[in-house]
Every structure is written in C-alpha cells, then in structure tokens.
Amino acid sequence: MIKHRFFNTAVLISILSLNLCAQSPLVDWNMVARIREEGLQKSKVMEYESYIVDVLGARLTLSRDMQRAQTWALEEMKRMGLSNVASEPYMDYGVTWDNEYVSAHMVEPDYMPLTAYPVAHTVGTEGKVTAEAVIVDLQTQDDLNNWRGKLNGKAVLISNPATIDLQTLTHGVQRYTDEELKALEKVTITPARNRPRNIANPVLITAVERMAFLKSELVAVVLQTDGNRLGIVPAYSRPGSKEDGWSADGNRKTPPILAVTPEHYNRMYRILKRGIPVRLEVDIRNRMGEKVEQAVNLIGEITGTDPKAGVVMLGAHFDTWHGSPNASDNSSGTAVALEAIRILKTLGVKPRRTIRIALWSGEEQGLYGSRAYVKKHFGDPKDPAVGVRPEYELLSAYFNQDYGAGQYRGIYLQGNETARTMLSAWMEPFRDLGMNMVSNQSLGSTDHVAFDDVGLPGFQFLQDRTPGTAGHTNLDFLEGIQSEDLMKNATIMAAYVYHAAMSAERVPRKAAFTK
C-alpha cells in the first residue's frame, strides 16, 4: 500500500512537471525534482540548526564564542567537499567581548530572581555586589548636576516603565493570509521624499554622556528595559560602542549595564514609586580582550565549469546578539544556506557558474561584513574612489535569508523589474509549498542590501510571520523553530541558486546600472 502511494505520487509529479515544462522553459524540471527529493525527504537542515543553536550558541561579532563557531563552520564546509573554503578578514573590528556569567536578584522587599542580561561591550561587577535601587531620570545637564554625588554604589534604573504588547500576547502571531500577500504584491514603489534634518537639542545629553556620568559617580550597576513583551530581554550594545570601534578603553568607561525583562523591571519601578526601598544582588562576569583583532567572513564554493560565466552567491549572517543562540535570527538563515549548498553538492551538480556561499559577520552592527566584501570584490560604481572591480561583471546574483525562520512565501525584487520574469519562473515548481508572491518592493537592513546598493542583483525572500521569531532576545531557542519551514526554504534556495548558476544569461540588473 505504501509503495503504491509513492508510485502514484511520483507519476503525479512527472505529469505536473511535463505540463509546467511547456509553460516555463527557464526551469530545469528534472533537477527541481531531484532538489525537492533531497531537500524535503533527506533534509539535514535541522541537524545544522540544532548544532548551531544547542552546541555553538550565541555568536556576537568578534567574541570568542563567534570565533569558535566560525572554526566549526569552516570545517563543516570542508567536510561537505566545498572548494576554496576560507575565512576572509574584512576590518580591524575591536577587542573581543564575551559574557561568562550573570546572576541578578531582587532581595528586598521581596525575593525575585531577575531575568536579565548584560549589555554587550560593558564591564562586569568584579564580584557579587548588593546595592540599593534608585530611579534616575537623566535628560539634561541640570539633571546631572542634581544627581552629582548621590549615586555611589547604587543600582540605577534609567528606563521608563515598559508598555506591554497585549495584542500579540492575547492573539498570537498569525501567518500571512492570501489577501495580505496579494496586497504586498500589488504595492507600488513611491518616490522617496526628502526627510527633514534631525538637529540635536543642545539641552539634552547623549546616551554616551549619560553613561560616562554614571561611571564617574561609581554606580554599582545600571538597569534598563527595552522590550514590550513578557519574558523577553532585548540585549544590545552599550552606547558609543560602534563610534569608538568596540574598544577596550570604551568598555572600561561604561558602568555595568543590565537589560531586564519588562515585567521584572516594572515591578521594581512601581515599588520604588511607592517609596519602599528595593535592594538588589548582582554578579556579572564579562571577559574582554585587550588588543584589536580582525573580524572575518566565511566563504566556500562549488567551482563552476566555465570560469568566464562568473559567480552566483547565497548566504546569511552568522553573527547574533548574545542573549541567546538566536535560533531564528540568524541561526536559521545559516542552517538554510548550509543545507542549500549541501543539497547541490550531494546531487553532484556541475554548475556553469561558480556557486559561492558566504556566512557574514558584523551584520547586526550595520552590514559591516557584507559591505566590506562587496567593496573589495565588486567595487562601487557610485564611488569614484572605489570604482568597479573586474569581478563586478561576473556576479549573477546574491540570495539571502534573514528576518526569522518563517517559510518562504515569495521574493522581493528590490525594484528590479527586469528580473521579474526570471525570478517568477523559478518560483513555479514551489507554488504548492506556498511560494506564490513576487513584489517590486525593497527590503532593507540585511546583507542583500550591500549588493543592491552598488547595482548588483541582491534578493531577500519574503518569509512568513511565525510565533518563534524572538530574534535579538533571550527567548530565541530551537523550540520556536518549525522544521518544515526550514526544509522548504533550503529546497527553494537551492533551486534558485542552481538556476542562476546554469542560466544562459545572468540575472538582469536594474536599468540604472546596465551599460
């Protein structure tokens, strides 16, 4: 009975392939069938996802944890049999920083263990400290003068109380409906308007000045909350870290800073507003380097048969924030990219163009890894000081996964209407998997932008909204991942990359960048 069902399914797929083949000559239907079989029936994507999340963990750019993870990824690409596997430095980034231990508790007037994480690139407490909590609102120079000499040894609460997102809490997160997808597909790009300049208010102090003052006042610890969902702690980097190059000196000029889950922070805040003392016990151990080190991207290839045909790239950012292993953002993207190239390598494809995978770092800080790579290898026609590199004409396209672990529902053109026909054709074999939408819209803030900004075809897939997308927080673990979504994504990614690698023509570029 089981064999009979499989036979019928195989016949159905063959008939479907034959029917669609006449409609979409840009699609290699036989290879699509092989990619689907490998990606949907023999998937290893969750093996990658689980190892990255459970064993490697959080991967802050230029942390020792990230360096350990990158060593594993390089070895994994070699085990796959990829060629030209390398770690490629792209900048003198700063000093390493890792959180080794954190323990935080409210001990008076009641006991409550705090869910809290240190803000990156800050110092620790140099042992366990007990401190009286105080609410401090520091906005102006007058505020600094009013608090001067009053904060030695205090635990300082500097945020306003958090407002909880009850809508998501009560109604959950819903996947895109067909109507919402159709609306996204129909949206047109409107011309950008000139935005008014933001002029700094000379009366207000900056976040860097605020932390420098608290450091000079010898506070025990600073507490803040940035989230609006129960149980969630977004933990980012200290103010000014990017500006001073994530330096050891900058780290030492800032007090210990803890990001606290909103309900715990709000409770302490309310107690203090009643005039009742709050006492905290905190122990933070952060390890940081003393010398500047280089941040790196990771590269591996399936070598093409025609060196003159060029390259097609796929990738994801490997770096995360430090509050969790970030299963959705972006361990899922890394797992999908690795699985996509594994599928192609396992099938023994002999691509016309070289297929190159890139696992970026520095994305969370501002696309540093991908932008540096694009500038070095491809150049920038808009910047006369950089110009166009010889490899610029050899890149067909770059395909990216970020924005969580939801299944692909379509792809954004980034305004590149000339690529619509090709990208739409490659979508045809996956409409049964929910891949149905091509939008002319642009999506920003992740690594395909580094390519798109210089006129190279760079694309991000439209991904479904799913409940387990607590990226940048303490709750982004494997339990929030839906395995079938990643299996579908890796299969679709592999097919898009394969077709781009085999196509007689490279993926078309925007008219403004076409010679």
Side-chain angles (χ1 to χ4, degrees), residues 50-336:
S50 177
Y51 193 90
I52 293 168
V53 172
D54 294 336
V55 180
L56 301 179
R59 302 175 303 281
L60 184 72
T61 295
L62 201 70
S63 62
R64 296 301 182 201
D65 283 340
M66 176 58 150
Q67 292 171 339
R68 178 172 64 95
Q70 288 176 321
T71 298
W72 169 84
L74 287 170
E75 292 303 313
E76 185 60 34
M77 286 194 279
K78 291 176 183 177
R79 281 192 291 271
M80 265 187 221
L82 300 187
S83 59
N84 300 320
V85 174
S87 97
E88 187 173 306
Y90 60 85
M91 67 181 291
D92 288 337
Y93 185 83
V95 300
T96 61
W97 185 93
D98 294 83
N99 171 240
E100 295 182 323
Y101 179 84
V102 58
S103 175
H105 311 263
M106 181 176 76
V107 293
E108 292 180 12
D110 186 26
Y111 175 73
M112 177 177 64
L114 301 181
T115 302
Y117 288 84
V119 170
H121 306 290
T122 55
V123 294
T125 57
E126 299 184 0
K128 184 186 297 184
V129 297
T130 301
E132 179 185 351
V134 58
I135 297 170
V136 177
D137 184 19
L138 299 175
Q139 302 296 329
T140 68
Q141 189 65 45
D142 286 342
D143 294 332
L144 301 187
N145 294 333
N146 292 337
W147 281 103
R148 201 176 306 278
K150 302 175 183 178
L151 297 176
N152 191 333
K154 302 291 187 182
V156 176
L157 280 67
I158 63 167
S159 302
N160 291 323
T163 300
I164 302 301
D165 175 14
L166 295 178
Q167 183 72 16
T168 301
L169 181 66
T170 54
H171 296 285
V173 178
Q174 304 299 320
R175 291 183 182 269
Y176 281 113
T177 64
D178 290 341
E179 291 72 21
E180 288 174 320
L181 288 174
K182 289 177 182 177
L184 283 171
E185 195 165 22
K186 292 177 180 178
V187 170
T188 58
I189 299 175
T190 56
R193 297 180 179 179
N194 292 329
R195 295 181 179 179
R197 288 187 303 152
N198 290 325
I199 302 175
N201 187 332
V203 175
L204 299 179
I205 62 171
T206 66
V208 173
E209 290 171 331
R210 183 180 298 114
M211 289 303 167
F213 171 76
L214 293 172
K215 177 70 173 181
S216 70
E217 293 297 299
L218 304 177
V219 301
V221 64
V222 175
L223 294 95
Q224 64 183 43
T225 189
D226 296 316
N228 64 351
R229 290 178 288 171
L230 295 178
I232 283 185
V233 182
Y236 297 106
S237 186
R238 65 171 168 80
S241 57
K242 183 184 297 188
E243 289 73 18
D244 63 45
W246 303 276
S247 67
D249 187 53
N251 294 349
R252 286 190 287 262
K253 289 181 178 178
T254 306
I257 308 175
L258 275 182
V260 184
T261 193
E263 65 272 20
H264 290 175
Y265 186 93
N266 286 2
R267 183 186 181 192
M268 293 185 291
Y269 195 100
R270 290 191 298 266
I271 293 171
L272 289 169
K273 280 296 186 180
R274 290 178 177 271
I276 300 172
V278 171
R279 187 169 294 276
L280 304 179
E281 183 180 275
V282 178
D283 190 356
I284 306 169
R285 294 201 294 269
N286 297 329
R287 179 178 57 162
M288 63 180 180
E290 291 295 330
K291 65 176 183 178
V292 172
E293 298 185 31
Q294 290 186 314
V296 302
N297 298 316
L298 308 182
I299 304 294
E301 295 180 343
I302 300 176
T303 304
T305 59
D306 181 0
K308 296 181 180 179
V311 177
V312 58
M313 293 185 65
L314 70 155
H317 72 87
F318 198 25
D319 63 302
T320 72
W321 288 104
H322 57 290
S324 76
N326 283 262
S328 68
D329 186 13
N330 192 29
S331 296
S332 66
T334 300
V336 163

Side-chain angles (χ1 to χ4, degrees), residues 451-495:
F451 294 81
D452 184 61
D453 278 352
V454 301
L456 294 170
F459 304 104
Q460 166 71 28
F461 293 93
L462 167 68
Q463 294 175 251
D464 227 339
R465 297 179 300 225
T466 61
T469 52
H472 300 178
T473 79
N474 58 311
L475 295 187
D476 197 1
F477 282 85
L478 196 68
E479 285 69 20
I481 301 300
Q482 298 176 67
S483 60
E484 288 188 1
D485 287 4
L486 297 195
M487 292 166 62
K488 293 174 185 177
N489 293 358
T491 302
I492 294 168
M493 174 83 83

Side-chain angles (χ1 to χ4, degrees), residues 297-301 309-319 329-330 332-338 340-341 353-363 367-375 377-378 391-403 408 410-414 416 419 422-423 426 443-463 492-501 505-510:
N297 298 316
L298 308 182
I299 304 294
E301 295 180 343
V311 177
V312 58
M313 293 185 65
L314 70 155
H317 72 87
F318 198 25
D319 63 302
D329 186 13
N330 192 29
S332 66
T334 300
V336 163
L338 286 171
I341 203 165
R353 293 178 179 84
T354 291
I355 297 172
R356 182 180 300 157
I357 185 174
L359 300 182
W360 313 110
S361 71
E363 190 274 349
L367 315 186
Y368 279 89
S370 56
R371 287 195 187 279
Y373 182 89
V374 167
K375 181 178 179 180
H377 289 270
F378 305 118
E391 292 177 75
Y392 187 86
E393 296 302 326
L394 294 178
L395 182 74
S396 178
Y398 169 73
F399 297 97
N400 190 70
Q401 176 168 330
D402 196 359
Y403 290 101
Y408 294 168
I411 194 165
Y412 291 104
L413 291 177
Q414 296 295 125
N416 184 359
M422 190 175 279
L423 297 185
W426 296 344
L443 197 67
S445 303
T446 190
D447 294 297
H448 71 288
V449 173
F451 294 81
D452 184 61
D453 278 352
V454 301
L456 294 170
F459 304 104
Q460 166 71 28
F461 293 93
L462 167 68
Q463 294 175 251
I492 294 168
M493 174 83 83
Y496 265 75
V497 168
Y498 173 79
H499 284 108
E505 303 294 333
R506 71 186 186 187
V507 175
R509 302 182 179 186
K510 293 179 180 179

